[in-house]
Amino acid sequence: MNAPPAVPVDIEAIERELARLWQSPPWADRRNELALSRTSVLTLFVYAPDSQRAAWAREVIGRLSTHHPSRVVLFLANRSTSLEEPTVSIQCDLGTAGRYAPCYEQITITLPDEGIELLPSLIMPLALPDLPAFLWWLGPLPCHDRRFPAVARTVDRLIFDSLESPHPIADIIATRRLIQQVARSTAVSDLNWGRLGPWLETTARMFDITHCRWALESIVRVELRYGHGRSNTPDNPTQPLLYLGWMASRLGWRLAASDRRDPTWILEFTAPGHRQLQWVLFPESCPALFHGQLLHVAFTAEHDHDAANLTIDLTGGSDRHATLRLRVHDRTHCLLEHAFHHHLLDLQRLLVEELQETGPDWLYEQALDEATALAVELRKLERAQRGH
């Protein structure tokens, strides 16, 4: 058995420096007569693969401090040969109205490029006792790395973003395997699943409308388009597959056949009662902001003499605000048209929601189960087409 790697950081020195800083509050409190508040509700570990992402993470964390005062430990991967000494600081939000300024501890530790195996030895002693610990992983999740489950088990919740995945189909399968490996100790959250929240809510509302209830069990075809807006970046169908997985898990659909006519996926399902339905998925050019996002879902339902088309579209907007437009048509008339704000492209808002929970998200895991089964079939098709 290999000996554990030596930790290149003096943990006790970090704790001593933090104690000294809390005993010597910054000059700003005396000038403005603000009450600096030390309140910790969690420990947030952040892994950044480069300095650019680390700077961005610091900005997001600063805005989170009023919602989740915490100890923040930022791990920065350093590709140079020399490592920097850890930095320790107390950060206070002096812009808060009134005389109250929430403060949090921030520790920055640089790691060697291959320092992933050091993380358990750093996370465990730096986590605040009796408080939940979160690990927010920026960049691609190393879900194929055999050393990573040991890292994930040191925290209560692992947060990642499958929109960052460089190999989406293979990573869906590996992520499901990782969740099973760490299930006893750690819940896993995908911010990309969080972005689907408004889509799931709008879909459920649509089929709950009196005129549309019959259509849910009479779907014969679904067309789904997702965004491709980054050059030199592969398609990322993770969000569409999770959406499809959610519907399949809720409605008891089973995959019967699959085909690929590049870049289109054609999936045949069997629904309860031996009813057949078809899903067609394909990417669509879009602004970079919407890369990997669901853009359009159209359900066609037919039963006896009834027929309906139910569509949801993502339109316009920015990283904080977009709109979901819902339309329902029968053979001759528009029965319904409505629009909802889609605010969950805002990463800060997504992260705040994830930091409020430590337990598993069963809905996500069930959708991921179905998405994994689809990913396995899609990978077989890809390999067959490549002649492997």
Side-chain angles (χ1 to χ4, degrees), residues 48-298:
D50 52 58
S51 56
Q52 184 178 4
R53 289 174 190 266
W56 176 70
R58 288 191 183 96
E59 291 182 13
V60 175
I61 293 165
R63 295 196 296 269
L64 287 177
S65 62
T66 55
H67 300 281
H68 295 281
S70 57
R71 167 178 287 188
V72 176
V73 183
L74 176 60
F75 298 115
L76 171 59
N78 189 339
R79 299 181 186 280
S80 64
T81 54
S82 59
L83 297 181
E84 301 174 4
E85 289 294 320
T87 61
V88 179
S89 62
I90 305 294
Q91 303 290 326
C92 299
D93 183 3
L94 301 178
T96 305
R99 299 169 62 84
Y100 166 76
C103 302
Y104 65 96
E105 301 168 344
Q106 182 168 287
I107 304 163
T108 302
I109 298 173
T110 59
L111 296 171
D113 192 27
E114 288 296 321
I116 188 171
E117 58 190 359
L118 298 173
L119 288 174
S121 301
L122 292 168
I123 290 175
M124 287 189 283
L126 286 171
L128 293 169
D130 302 323
L131 292 176
F134 296 76
L135 172 58
W136 176 25
W137 193 273
L138 278 74
L141 188 71
C143 48
H144 301 272
D145 193 320
R146 293 183 178 181
R147 300 168 296 177
F148 191 66
V151 178
R153 291 189 187 102
T154 59
V155 295
D156 297 286
R157 195 176 197 88
L158 166 67
I159 303 169
F160 76 105
D161 191 350
S162 62
L163 209 55
E164 300 268 12
S165 173
H167 309 289
I169 297 296
D171 288 351
I172 287 173
I173 300 167
T175 300
R176 182 58 191 146
R177 184 166 58 244
L178 172 67
I179 290 175
Q180 292 171 333
Q181 290 172 323
V182 305
R184 292 187 177 182
S185 58
T186 308
V188 178
S189 294
D190 181 357
L191 295 174
N192 210 17
W193 168 254
R195 293 186 188 94
L196 275 175
W199 283 91
L200 307 188
E201 184 178 348
T202 302
T203 303
R205 283 186 183 180
M206 182 171 66
F207 286 110
D208 198 38
I209 296 169
T210 303
H211 298 306
C212 303
R213 287 176 185 163
W214 67 271
L216 183 60
E217 296 184 353
S218 301
I219 297 170
V220 294
R221 189 176 188 276
V222 185
E223 179 184 293
L224 186 154
R225 300 198 294 264
Y226 59 97
H228 181 86
R230 296 176 187 168
S231 59
N232 302 320
T233 302
D235 286 343
N236 190 330
T238 305
Q239 202 177 102
L241 289 179
L242 286 172
Y243 178 79
L244 202 168
W246 169 70
M247 293 210 68
S249 66
R250 297 297 92 193
L251 298 173
W253 297 344
R254 292 292 175 265
L255 184 65
S258 57
D259 192 11
R260 178 177 170 86
R261 300 168 193 169
D262 200 18
T264 301
W265 301 100
I266 302 169
L267 304 170
E268 307 283 346
F269 286 87
T270 301
H274 305 291
R275 183 170 50 84
Q276 304 296 311
L277 66 150
Q278 182 186 73
W279 280 68
V280 179
L281 287 68
F282 56 93
E284 180 178 280
S285 296
C286 68
L289 174 66
F290 294 132
H291 182 80
Q293 307 281 345
L294 281 191
L295 298 179
H296 169 84
V297 180

